[in-house]
């Protein structure tokens, strides 16, 4: 059974810092991996999708990497801003291609 | 529509009652998913539709939960004999194609509270 773990559970940084969020998964047979952002009381916003054949994806200040063989992904946020404060969720598409399996998320707080 | 729409945004019901939660996916999206999210947890998969059929319902916790998508667009999640443990945010997502390498877009969720 696929399990997704995110470390750390919470992170507080001052504005301007670069930071890395970690995600690990137990079954390397995945179709893709997605990173989402969730603001309190809101739904999920897709940030980046990495296909199983890709190693990384970039969007603005965000860069996500994928190492399928080791079951790891990282989300790198450059020059963090207070508006980046949210919970970041990592999810992998299951082997059947029918469901995303989520981690519990990392709650990020960026202070000004 | 512009995004995935879920109604109602909040629902409070008494234990034992029946509830229906509605999801309007993005127009043209053939894949539709339901998830449940408890406080402090990541979303938990419930059911996946490809078109009108439930291609994967392995996440439904028990037979009190049922979902339909009769015309391949709007979906309704139905919960019978609600229990306090059913209280959670129910999220709907849609994607253009089935699984593999297509991005999933989520609605804002329905917060269900069973009292």
């Amino acid at each position: 059974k696929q399990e997704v773990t995110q470390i750390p559970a919470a992170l507080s940084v001052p504005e301007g810092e670069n930071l890395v969020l970690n995600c690990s998964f137990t079954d390397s047979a995945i179709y893709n991996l997605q990173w989402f952002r969730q603001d309190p009381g809101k739904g999920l916003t897709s940030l980046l999708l990495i296909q199983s054949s890709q190693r990384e994806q970039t969007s603005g200040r965000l860069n996500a990497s994928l190492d399928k063989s080791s079951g790891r992904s990282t989300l790198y946020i450059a020059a963090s801003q207070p508006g980046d404060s949210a919970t970041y969720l990592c999810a992998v598409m299951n082997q059947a291609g029918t469901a995303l399996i989520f981690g519990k998320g990392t709650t990020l707080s960026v202070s000004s | 529509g512009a995004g995935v729409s879920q109604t109602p945004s909040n629902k409070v019901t008494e234990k034992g009652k029946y509830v229906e939660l509605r999801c309007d996916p993005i127009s043209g999206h053939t894949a539709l998913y339901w998830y449940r999210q408890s406080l402090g947890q990541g979303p938990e998969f419930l059911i996946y539709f490809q078109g009108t059929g439930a291609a994967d319902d392995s996440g439904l916790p028990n037979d009190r939960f049922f979902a339909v998508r009769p015309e391949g667009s709007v979906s309704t999640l139905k919960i019978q004999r609600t229990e306090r443990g059913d209280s959670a945010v129910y999220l709907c997502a849609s994607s253009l194609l089935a699984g593999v390498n297509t991005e999933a877009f989520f609605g804002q969720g329905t917060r269900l509270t069973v009292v």
Side-chain angles (χ1 to χ4, degrees):
Chain A
K1 180 185 173 185
Q2 177 75 271
E3 293 184 0
V4 180
T5 303
Q6 291 188 246
I7 294 173
L11 182 63
S12 292
V13 300
E15 182 176 7
E17 274 205 8
N18 302 324
L19 56 101
V20 175
L21 307 183
N22 296 291
C23 172
S24 62
F25 46 96
T26 54
D27 186 350
S28 62
I30 63 170
Y31 280 124
N32 63 49
L33 183 145
Q34 276 191 256
W35 282 93
F36 294 89
R37 169 187 172 135
Q38 186 172 33
D39 293 284
K42 303 293 185 182
L44 279 65
T45 300
S46 178
L47 297 174
L48 291 164
L49 181 149
I50 310 177
Q51 299 180 17
S52 57
S53 58
Q54 296 178 321
R55 298 282 293 184
E56 67 176 341
Q57 279 284 353
T58 298
S59 176
R61 295 183 294 109
L62 305 179
N63 176 277
S65 68
L66 173 63
D67 184 341
K68 265 183 56 175
S69 60
S70 67
R72 296 180 186 278
S73 176
T74 61
L75 179 66
Y76 175 82
I77 303 177
S80 58
Q81 303 171 357
D84 294 332
S85 299
T87 296
Y88 291 80
L89 292 157
C90 168
V92 296
M93 178 63 73
N94 69 353
Q95 198 169 6
T98 60
L100 287 166
I101 311 302
F102 283 84
K104 292 184 178 181
T106 293
T107 299
L108 173 66
S109 177
V110 182
S111 56
S112 56
Chain B
V4 178
S5 176
Q6 292 188 246
T7 55
S9 56
N10 282 283
K11 176 71 176 178
V12 180
T13 190
E14 292 181 349
K15 179 175 179 292
K17 298 289 189 182
Y18 167 84
V19 296
E20 290 189 352
L21 311 179
R22 177 187 168 105
C23 173
D24 280 90
I26 294 173
S27 178
H29 280 195
T30 61
L32 185 145
Y33 314 80
W34 283 98
Y35 290 83
R36 175 169 70 174
Q37 187 174 28
S38 301
L39 194 63
Q41 303 293 315
E44 173 192 19
F45 169 73
L46 295 176
I47 188 169
Y48 158 71
F49 287 90
Q50 176 55 35
T52 60
D56 184 350
D57 64 358
S58 62
L60 295 178
N62 52 60
D63 61 6
R64 295 187 297 106
F65 288 74
F66 189 70
V68 295
R69 194 185 185 200
E71 298 178 356
S73 178
V74 171
S75 176
T76 304
L77 178 65
K78 309 180 181 193
I79 310 174
Q80 299 178 321
R81 305 183 303 279
T82 51
E83 300 177 357
R84 292 196 178 86
D86 299 334
S87 296
V89 175
Y90 289 80
L91 296 165
C92 176
S94 70
S95 63
L96 185 60
L97 296 171
V100 193
N101 292 316
T102 57
E103 192 175 1
F105 296 87
F106 280 77
Q108 297 295 296
T110 294
R111 182 175 299 278
L112 175 66
T113 304
V114 182
V115 298

